[in-house]
Amino acid sequence: MRRYLRVDWRAGLSLVGTLLALLSLAFVVPILVALAYGGEDLWVFVASMALTAGFGVALRRLDSEPKPGAREAFFVVAFTWLFAAMFGALPYVLAGNGTVAYPVNALFESMSGFTTTGATVMGDISFDTHSRAIMMWRQATQWLGGMGIIVLAVAILSQMAVGGAQLMEAEAPGPGISKLTPHIAETARVLWIAYIGFTALLMASLYALSVVAPELAPEMNLYNAIAHGFSTLPTGGFSTEARSIEAFSPAVQWLIVPFMFIAGVNFVLWWHVISGDPWELLRDNEFRFYLGAISLFSLVGTVILFFDASLQTPPTGQIGGHFERSLRYSVFQITSMTNSTGFANMDFNEWGHSAKALLLFVMFIGGSTGSTGGGIKILRWLVILKSLRREVFTTIHPEAVRPVRMNGQPLDEDAIRGIYAFTLLFLGLFFVGFLLLSADASRLPEFNPHTLDLLTASIATLGNIGPGFGVVGPMGSYNGFPVTSKLLMVVYMWIGRLEIFPVLVLLTAAYWRS
Amino acid sequence: MRRYLRVDWRAGLSLVGTLLALLSLAFVVPILVALAYGGEDLWVFVASMALTAGFGVALRRLDSEPKPGAREAFFVVAFTWLFAAMFGALPYVLAGNGTVAYPVNALFESMSGFTTTGATVMGDISFDTHSRAIMMWRQATQWLGGMGIIVLAVAILSQMAVGGAQLMEAEAPGPGISKLTPHIAETARVLWIAYIGFTALLMASLYALSVVAPELAPEMNLYNAIAHGFSTLPTGGFSTEARSIEAFSPAVQWLIVPFMFIAGVNFVLWWHVISGDPWELLRDNEFRFYLGAISLFSLVGTVILFFDASLQTPPTGQIGGHFERSLRYSVFQITSMTNSTGFANMDFNEWGHSAKALLLFVMFIGGSTGSTGGGIKILRWLVILKSLRREVFTTIHPEAVRPVRMNGQPLDEDAIRGIYAFTLLFLGLFFVGFLLLSADASRLPEFNPHTLDLLTASIATLGNIGPGFGVVGPMGSYNGFPVTSKLLMVVYMWIGRLEIFPVLVLLTAAYWRS
Ligand SMILES: [K+]
Ligand SMILES: [K+]
């Protein structure tokens, strides 16, 4: 076989095996939680750890000295997420509780975790049905996924020139970080310091608030602080509470907002800030656009909610006419839905048409490049807007030559075309996903989602957001979908997270043979 | 003023005036119809003719020797359609019958006519409410709009390099047809021969069928033959029957199909066929893709309808299991919705989810460049698909240089980028239109369209298709929308028809001053 394929698939699988073996160490987290809470589901995680490590080690044997090249990177990236999702699903199946015990549901929940999507098929999100260890594992999959995404985005996709990703601000301080294979570990170390640091800061802040001012955070405790720290920085959106962040006090909601915002920023910029050059952040065009978009849409949302007198939401009561509530619900939801976090501090299905239209709009924006956010991403929209402005100008002045600039540098036209191609492909997949979900939904007469629910289900999975509207709303569930739809959405979460092209090239004959 | 503006707006308006004066001659058609049917509404059209001619002549006086250049072309194109719609609305207001007597509704109906959209706000489509002359004027506006579109597409947009339109097959036989101003009249003459010829052939065929075999076409007569000849070749979709083409027999429906198909093909290719080179048609990549897409989707639709046993549609009865009906409904609707005609031979709201999803999908395709069809258009999708394939290839082989080819010629990269830009802008406007219609719909509590209705209202107006789903279905009406939504859709029909950029440049300071 090896002679006929140009791809060194043995080397690729061997590297995937190494990464799976490393991933198996992560089961230590739920094992510790199980031990702390009387040992429930302890065997589940020990068994999962053993199976994952065993499979990883077996894969490693395919090639004892793997030398994966640039071409194998596509392979490694695609299969790492796929296998991580499959082995991460084991605990749900082995524990055998609730809807996630069914293999397809378990795979959905696990893929949703590792892709930091946050869409759930868990029927009953409570400790009545699931152990503390299982619920913490669900949160931890998002945090692990986020670690992978940062490295993927900064060190790998930018080198693959996938969909214009080469334009990303990927120059972290320190030597040679822009070269692929030899320096991945170095890049990872630098960015993970920021990622781990912010996570620890959020966990500590939430816990400190619950200890210092328990009256301000009655529902917060160490377990919840850790659980939500795990799902905020990866723009994950899983919660151990059925009502997401609505379960917590306004003080906790406000505390989470800046960390959600941080999660949607290129971590290379945070590394600049940490290493003493905060101005790099404010000079960056993508950051300024991200900050501007979230500020503008939060303001618009606040005005809409403030003047919507009909909005009644027990237990929080009237929003219309109440400034702090209008501001809090708007800022929280706009930040959460723009950068693909997917947390909710209320059921926004209750909002009026205008406010919902605004939320639907921002769902198509996405996070920054080099962040854990999903979707089309800020940088691409910024390049598209600048390029469209130029297109109008050159329609009037066909002779004019005007480069599109980003951070002062003229952009390569190939990169601009790559960004257009990615964006159209993303929107095309979103639309096809919506059509397939629509056609598939009609197979189940008792499952009657609205068109808008299906539209948002497609973008919420492909864009790794999590919740949408209606049945897939923030307090809802993807459990009602037919199995075929669930499998489609598993694929959508996977390819959306990997920015489509790494999976797409695997489907071409040119990749394997030429 | 003139010294400060680089645009010679006087010359532009003068030319618009000339075109309006010519347009006033078209009122002869409804005047003849009024005379044939007892003189009802005769004064309406005489008055409309006088007002239009008077305004046109007045505008001409702004510049007695207009020398409009390339820049003024944007201005002339945008204002010609706007003024045509405004003066074409006069008869509806002056006749004073039904919903279209209200000025905004009259403008909507007239813009829908001249842009060949076919969306209607006419509450009662029947001769009980409206005169034969008014109904024929409504049909004639589409045919006049189609005449304008062919010249616009082939002679003007392709020279403006709007959204990649420079790639169009615009080389008609005959000397120098590719140069702008001096040869517009020549290009127009050549293409109008084809347009007028196909229209006359359809009218004659329909009428001949009703005379020779009245049992095969019981509802057809001379009036209906002329009326539907007027709205087929411009991919218009207006009908004098409330139930569109469902009002006619299967024989009539089958007869209309090839003419609908013809209307979506680049008329330059028809000129080649007429002048003795039919192979030019089959060699053209865009035509082959158009033929292939309609064949494929018609086949898929036939299969879906055939196996949908639940489909009951009085008066036509069962479709599922009936081959001719499945084929006829599928071929007719797929052709009609793909190339933006918008005719219906049944209320496709009754179709199942899968068949409706297919229809929704093809609504985003559009006609060929140089045809009367609207939307994103076949050529652009073909270039995008080829470019995406290359993008995947260069992701694997970053060093490879592979031009995208069309009809064997390598394409200019600027044109490819222009096509991406146009398509994304079109899709962006579609989405924003949907959001604005959604927010606006909530102002009228008694108006409760589904999300899908609003989605299709946006694409059906921007893409000049006409009908959508639900309340805006083929047997429905746009009359229920708030006035603000109607005005938005008037603008959408207008900018969609002109391929966006000619209107967009008018909104920039660079157009007027630099
Ligand atoms: K998420
Ligand atoms: K139409």
Side-chain angles (χ1 to χ4, degrees):
Chain A
M1 272 303 270
R2 203 166 192 172
R3 284 174 303 167
Y4 302 103
L5 297 174
R6 240 203 72 182
V7 176
D8 190 351
W9 59 275
R10 285 168 183 271
L13 280 180
S14 172
L15 185 53
V16 172
T18 303
L19 293 168
L20 275 180
L22 283 171
L23 178 68
S24 73
L25 300 176
F27 286 107
V28 168
V29 172
I31 285 173
L32 289 175
V33 175
L35 289 172
Y37 286 91
E40 194 186 354
D41 283 341
L42 179 60
W43 74 273
V44 162
F45 291 101
V46 173
S48 298
M49 189 176 199
L51 284 168
T52 308
F55 187 78
V57 169
L59 278 186
R60 285 188 67 169
R61 296 227 174 135
L62 282 172
D63 190 340
S64 55
E65 284 184 50
K67 302 250 185 316
R71 184 179 284 223
E72 284 70 32
F74 298 102
F75 187 91
V76 171
V77 162
F79 280 92
T80 297
W81 257 269
L82 192 61
F83 282 139
M86 287 166 69
F87 283 91
L90 280 177
Y92 302 121
V93 176
L94 295 178
N97 295 319
T99 52
V100 290
Y102 295 97
V104 170
N105 286 347
L107 181 64
F108 186 100
E109 201 76 8
S110 179
M111 186 60 96
S112 177
F114 281 106
T115 56
T116 83
T117 304
T120 188
V121 287
M122 200 174 248
D124 180 35
I125 299 175
S126 86
F127 302 124
D128 298 339
T129 304
H130 301 283
S131 69
R132 306 250 165 192
I134 281 283
M135 295 303 281
M136 190 60 88
W137 171 245
R138 185 164 165 265
Q139 302 297 112
T141 55
Q142 298 214 308
W143 197 75
L144 294 165
M147 283 194 97
I149 289 307
I150 290 178
V151 176
L152 176 72
V154 176
I156 303 176
L157 293 181
S158 65
Q159 302 296 325
M160 287 174 174
V162 164
Q166 65 267 42
L167 296 184
M168 195 182 60
E169 176 57 65
E171 288 292 323
I177 212 154
S178 64
K179 287 286 164 211
L180 182 60
T181 327
H183 299 292
I184 286 182
E186 207 169 336
T187 311
R189 192 184 58 80
V190 163
L191 301 177
W192 285 347
I193 289 174
Y195 184 68
I196 295 169
F198 283 125
T199 302
L201 186 60
L202 174 57
M203 289 177 176
S205 303
L206 289 172
Y207 184 56
L209 186 69
S210 76
V211 171
V212 177
E215 72 285 1
L216 282 180
E219 306 295 330
M220 189 46 70
N221 53 39
L222 182 60
Y223 183 92
N224 277 336
I226 293 172
H228 293 85
F230 271 153
S231 63
T232 303
L233 269 301
T235 65
F238 270 158
S239 173
T240 48
E241 298 288 337
R243 295 196 65 79
S244 191
I245 310 302
E246 190 183 22
F248 300 102
S249 61
V252 169
Q253 293 174 16
W254 276 120
L255 184 53
I256 287 174
V257 166
F259 289 91
M260 280 204 296
F261 180 85
I262 286 168
V265 176
N266 186 344
F267 273 77
V268 172
L269 294 174
W270 292 129
W271 178 249
H272 282 294
V273 172
I274 292 168
S275 50
D277 187 8
W279 301 111
E280 192 74 17
L281 184 68
L282 293 173
R283 271 193 297 268
D284 186 65
N285 286 6
E286 187 181 22
F287 176 78
R288 285 155 67 162
F289 195 69
Y290 174 68
L291 179 62
I294 289 191
S295 304
L296 174 69
F297 294 126
S298 293
L299 183 69
V300 173
T302 304
V303 171
I304 294 175
L305 292 181
F306 187 83
F307 288 103
D308 188 345
S310 72
L311 210 57
Q312 298 273 357
T313 47
T316 42
Q318 192 83 18
I319 296 176
H322 190 301
F323 177 69
E324 189 272 341
R325 286 180 197 155
S326 303
L327 184 71
R328 175 158 46 85
Y329 290 122
S330 173
V331 169
F332 192 97
Q333 282 320 149
I334 290 291
T335 308
S336 169
M337 299 303 273
T338 300
N339 78 12
S340 85
T341 302
F343 273 151
N345 64 344
M346 73 171 285
D347 186 355
F348 49 72
N349 279 311
E350 298 171 24
W351 290 9
H353 279 71
S354 304
K356 277 162 84 171
L358 181 67
L359 268 197
L360 182 60
F361 181 80
V362 303
M363 285 175 80
F364 286 84
I365 297 178
S368 306
T369 53
S371 78
T372 58
I376 291 170
K377 300 206 171 65
I378 301 285
L379 180 69
R380 292 202 179 93
W381 285 124
L382 187 53
V383 170
I384 286 168
L385 288 178
K386 285 181 178 222
S387 164
L388 281 178
R389 198 171 58 184
R390 177 181 63 174
E391 215 67 42
V392 171
F393 185 83
T394 54
T395 302
I396 308 169
H397 299 282
E399 74 295 348
V401 176
R402 292 220 303 194
V404 172
R405 288 171 188 279
M406 189 63 57
N407 290 341
Q409 300 296 314
L411 299 188
D412 184 52
E413 295 297 329
D414 282 357
I416 297 175
R417 211 191 47 234
I419 283 174
Y420 273 121
F422 175 88
T423 306
L424 258 184
L425 189 60
F426 186 97
L427 293 174
L429 284 173
F430 149 69
F431 190 63
V432 169
F434 159 63
L435 295 179
L436 291 176
L437 291 177
S438 299
D440 200 32
S442 59
R443 294 197 307 122
L444 289 186
E446 72 277 14
F447 177 59
N448 251 318
H450 286 121
T451 306
L452 187 61
D453 306 3
L454 297 168
L455 266 179
T456 56
S458 184
I459 184 66
T461 49
L462 186 64
N464 301 118
I465 300 167
F469 291 145
V471 297
V472 299
M475 317 304 170
S477 163
Y478 284 78
N479 192 36
F481 279 93
V483 169
T484 35
S485 289
K486 285 177 184 168
L487 287 173
L488 175 74
M489 291 189 282
V490 165
V491 172
Y492 263 44
M493 292 190 272
W494 181 51
I495 62 175
R497 185 72 274 185
L498 303 182
E499 312 223 339
I500 304 170
F501 281 97
V503 177
L504 210 56
V505 299
L506 296 187
L507 301 177
T508 64
Y511 174 75
W512 296 96
R513 279 203 305 263
S514 71
Chain B
M1 273 303 270
R2 202 166 192 173
R3 284 175 304 167
Y4 302 105
L5 296 175
R6 243 204 68 185
V7 176
D8 190 351
W9 60 275
R10 284 169 184 270
L13 279 180
S14 172
L15 185 54
V16 172
T18 304
L19 293 168
L20 275 181
L22 283 171
L23 178 68
S24 72
L25 300 177
F27 285 106
V28 169
V29 172
I31 285 172
L32 289 176
V33 175
L35 289 172
Y37 285 91
E40 195 186 354
D41 285 340
L42 180 60
W43 75 273
V44 162
F45 291 100
V46 173
S48 297
M49 189 176 199
L51 285 168
T52 308
F55 186 77
V57 170
L59 277 187
R60 286 187 67 168
R61 296 227 174 134
L62 282 172
D63 190 341
S64 55
E65 285 184 50
K67 301 255 185 314
R71 184 178 286 223
E72 283 72 31
F74 297 102
F75 187 91
V76 171
V77 163
F79 280 92
T80 298
W81 257 270
L82 192 60
F83 283 137
M86 287 166 70
F87 283 91
L90 280 177
Y92 302 122
V93 176
L94 295 178
N97 294 320
T99 52
V100 290
Y102 295 97
V104 170
N105 285 348
L107 180 65
F108 185 100
E109 201 76 7
S110 179
M111 185 61 96
S112 177
F114 282 106
T115 57
T116 82
T117 303
T120 187
V121 288
M122 200 173 247
D124 179 35
I125 298 176
S126 86
F127 302 126
D128 298 339
T129 305
H130 301 284
S131 69
R132 306 250 167 193
I134 280 281
M135 294 304 280
M136 190 59 89
W137 171 243
R138 184 163 164 267
Q139 302 297 110
T141 56
Q142 298 213 309
W143 196 75
L144 294 165
M147 283 195 97
I149 290 307
I150 290 179
V151 177
L152 176 72
V154 175
I156 302 177
L157 293 181
S158 65
Q159 301 296 325
M160 286 175 175
V162 165
Q166 65 267 42
L167 296 185
M168 195 181 60
E169 177 56 64
E171 287 293 324
I177 212 155
S178 63
K179 287 285 162 213
L180 184 58
T181 326
H183 300 292
I184 286 183
E186 208 171 334
T187 311
R189 192 184 57 81
V190 164
L191 301 178
W192 284 346
I193 290 173
Y195 183 67
I196 294 169
F198 283 124
T199 302
L201 186 61
L202 174 57
M203 288 177 177
S205 304
L206 289 172
Y207 183 56
L209 186 69
S210 75
V211 171
V212 175
E215 71 284 3
L216 281 180
E219 306 294 330
M220 188 48 69
N221 53 38
L222 183 60
Y223 183 91
N224 277 336
I226 293 172
H228 292 86
F230 271 155
S231 62
T232 303
L233 268 301
T235 67
F238 270 158
S239 173
T240 48
E241 297 288 337
R243 295 195 66 77
S244 191
I245 311 301
E246 190 182 21
F248 301 101
S249 61
V252 170
Q253 294 174 17
W254 275 120
L255 185 52
I256 287 175
V257 166
F259 289 91
M260 280 205 295
F261 180 84
I262 286 168
V265 176
N266 186 343
F267 273 76
V268 173
L269 294 174
W270 292 130
W271 179 249
H272 282 294
V273 172
I274 291 168
S275 50
D277 186 8
W279 301 111
E280 191 76 15
L281 184 68
L282 293 173
R283 270 194 297 269
D284 185 66
N285 286 4
E286 187 181 21
F287 175 78
R288 287 155 63 162
F289 195 68
Y290 174 68
L291 180 63
I294 287 190
S295 306
L296 174 68
F297 293 126
S298 293
L299 183 68
V300 173
T302 304
V303 172
I304 294 175
L305 293 181
F306 187 84
F307 288 103
D308 188 345
S310 71
L311 211 57
Q312 298 274 357
T313 47
T316 43
Q318 192 84 16
I319 297 176
H322 190 300
F323 178 69
E324 189 273 341
R325 285 179 198 156
S326 303
L327 184 71
R328 174 159 45 87
Y329 291 123
S330 175
V331 169
F332 192 98
Q333 282 319 150
I334 291 291
T335 308
S336 170
M337 298 304 271
T338 299
N339 78 11
S340 86
T341 301
F343 273 150
N345 65 344
M346 73 171 285
D347 186 354
F348 48 72
N349 279 312
E350 297 171 25
W351 289 10
H353 279 70
S354 304
K356 277 163 83 172
L358 182 67
L359 268 197
L360 183 59
F361 181 80
V362 303
M363 285 175 80
F364 286 85
I365 297 179
S368 305
T369 52
S371 78
T372 57
I376 290 169
K377 299 204 172 68
I378 302 283
L379 180 69
R380 293 202 178 93
W381 285 123
L382 187 53
V383 170
I384 286 167
L385 288 178
K386 286 182 177 222
S387 164
L388 281 177
R389 198 170 58 183
R390 177 181 63 174
E391 214 68 42
V392 171
F393 185 82
T394 54
T395 302
I396 308 169
H397 298 282
E399 72 295 346
V401 177
R402 292 220 303 195
V404 173
R405 288 171 189 279
M406 189 64 56
N407 291 341
Q409 300 296 312
L411 299 187
D412 183 52
E413 295 297 329
D414 282 357
I416 297 175
R417 213 191 45 234
I419 283 174
Y420 273 123
F422 175 88
T423 306
L424 258 185
L425 189 60
F426 186 97
L427 293 174
L429 284 173
F430 150 69
F431 189 64
V432 168
F434 159 63
L435 295 179
L436 291 175
L437 291 178
S438 298
D440 200 32
S442 60
R443 295 197 307 122
L444 290 185
E446 73 277 13
F447 178 58
N448 252 317
H450 286 121
T451 306
L452 188 61
D453 307 2
L454 297 168
L455 266 178
T456 56
S458 184
I459 185 65
T461 48
L462 186 64
N464 302 117
I465 300 166
F469 291 146
V471 296
V472 299
M475 317 305 170
S477 163
Y478 284 79
N479 193 35
F481 279 93
V483 170
T484 36
S485 289
K486 285 177 184 168
L487 288 173
L488 175 75
M489 290 188 282
V490 166
V491 172
Y492 263 44
M493 291 190 272
W494 180 50
I495 62 176
R497 186 71 275 186
L498 304 182
E499 312 223 339
I500 304 170
F501 280 97
V503 177
L504 209 56
V505 299
L506 297 187
L507 302 177
T508 63
Y511 174 76
W512 296 96
R513 278 203 307 264
S514 73

